[in-house]
Amino acid sequence: MKVLLIYNPNSGNRTFKNYLDIILDRFQAKGYLVTLWRVAECCDLPALFQKIDRTEYERVLIAGGDGTIHQVVNSLLDNGFDLPIGIYPAGTANDFAHNFDLPAGVEEMTELYTGERFVYSDVGMANGEYFINVASLGCLTDVSQKTDPRVKNSFGIFSYYLKGLEEFQKIRTIRVRVKSEEYLFDDEIYFMLVMNGKSAGGFKKVSPQSEISDGLLEVIIFKKCPVLELMNVLTKILKGQHTKNPNVLYFRTAKLTVECEDETGTDLDGEQGVPFPLEIEVVPKRLKILRQG
């Protein structure tokens, strides 16, 4: 029996490698052979999954942040792998992992990942690229991309808040056209989130009504309004009370199109996103995530 463990040594506070011996010991005691793959800047994950025989492995373990999980999941699914996934949340925000009520310690997680209990999880897709947690566009949505990795490793999630405050001073609106069966929208906005999970940027109640396996995405649009009103909306995110604010448009859908002619980027799970127009849809129950029963 084989297990593939893919880990990013640069994620979070860079301490995950200290736990490798514990993980290997636990899996070997259960009769598993663990194959390690270290993700580096030069690492070609698609090439890795094209080389290995999927029938030899029983599960894939991923240690890193949301960006690492995003890259691994895209490589897995693009190459036809349908194996249970275990997540070691070793990144800065670890938003996707918040959906699965994982134990706090590596030893407890490892014991869980030697078991057979899993839950199905939806994933999103934007222009053919998968995202596990969130697709976003507009101001403030690329904070994680712009945060210096050295600052991120030193200050953790607080580094996102610092960078967010810096970016807030340059905030501007963009005009978008959003089309879905449930809603048509054509107006100016500050930013927009399409959520699969509940948490984004370390804020655990960005999309409090999200369910990871309900076959729907949550769309949250922060409309143009006076900046002071926007600040009030943002403070309500901490308690998950922003979705009913008149300056916020919130709805659920399985598929939508987003057009934008203004110069702005997109983001998928904290990674650089895809170009406009965006064709976004949910792929129901596409992943098997190992978790507690």
Side-chain angles (χ1 to χ4, degrees), residues 159-207:
S159 64
Y160 287 167
Y161 305 155
L162 291 174
K163 190 64 177 179
L165 288 173
E166 178 184 329
E167 292 296 309
F168 194 84
Q169 300 175 44
K170 299 178 284 185
I171 197 164
R172 63 181 179 86
T173 60
I174 57 172
R175 190 174 191 94
V176 298
R177 290 175 293 279
V178 180
K179 303 176 184 178
S180 74
E181 288 187 3
E182 295 79 6
Y183 216 95
L184 297 176
F185 178 86
D186 186 343
D187 209 339
E188 291 184 75
I189 69 169
Y190 285 112
F191 58 96
M192 171 179 173
L193 309 173
V194 181
M195 299 290 301
N196 184 42
K198 296 179 183 293
S199 175
F203 293 96
K204 297 182 180 181
K205 297 182 179 180
V206 170
S207 186

Side-chain angles (χ1 to χ4, degrees), residues 108-177:
E108 291 82 1
M109 278 186 248
T110 302
E111 186 65 27
L112 172 66
Y113 298 154
T114 62
E116 300 297 331
R117 295 175 177 174
F118 64 86
V119 63
Y120 282 101
S121 171
D122 302 337
V123 295
M125 178 179 281
N127 294 7
E129 182 171 344
Y130 295 101
F131 62 92
I132 52 169
N133 191 65
V134 58
S136 58
L137 60 102
C139 296
L140 304 178
T141 58
D142 58 354
V143 165
S144 62
Q145 295 180 42
K146 293 179 177 179
T147 303
D148 189 316
R150 294 168 298 180
V151 177
K152 190 186 302 185
N153 292 334
S154 299
F155 295 97
I157 193 65
F158 189 61
S159 64
Y160 287 167
Y161 305 155
L162 291 174
K163 190 64 177 179
L165 288 173
E166 178 184 329
E167 292 296 309
F168 194 84
Q169 300 175 44
K170 299 178 284 185
I171 197 164
R172 63 181 179 86
T173 60
I174 57 172
R175 190 174 191 94
V176 298
R177 290 175 293 279

Side-chain angles (χ1 to χ4, degrees), residues 5 19 44 65-66 69 93 105 111 124 135 144 151 166 169 180 190-191 199 201 208 211 222 263 268 286:
L5 170 55
Y19 299 101
D44 189 348
D66 295 301
I69 301 171
E111 186 65 27
S144 62
V151 177
E166 178 184 329
Q169 300 175 44
S180 74
Y190 285 112
F191 58 96
S199 175
E211 296 293 340
F222 294 80
E263 184 176 345
L268 301 178
R286 188 62 182 85

Side-chain angles (χ1 to χ4, degrees), residues 240-288:
Q241 298 174 346
H242 55 292
T243 58
K244 295 182 180 180
N245 188 284
N247 294 311
V248 175
L249 172 61
Y250 166 85
F251 64 96
R252 309 173 79 201
T253 188
K255 187 174 183 179
L256 70 155
T257 300
V258 184
E259 299 175 356
C260 180
E261 296 179 0
D262 293 332
E263 184 176 345
T264 188
T266 66
D267 183 285
L268 301 178
D269 299 323
E271 302 288 295
Q272 183 175 343
V274 292
F276 292 101
L278 304 180
E279 297 287 344
I280 302 175
E281 63 183 305
V282 68
V283 185
K285 298 183 177 180
R286 188 62 182 85
L287 295 179
K288 299 175 183 176

Side-chain angles (χ1 to χ4, degrees), residues 61-75:
L61 309 177
I62 309 170
D66 295 301
T68 301
I69 301 171
H70 171 92
Q71 294 174 32
V72 175
V73 165
N74 271 274
S75 297

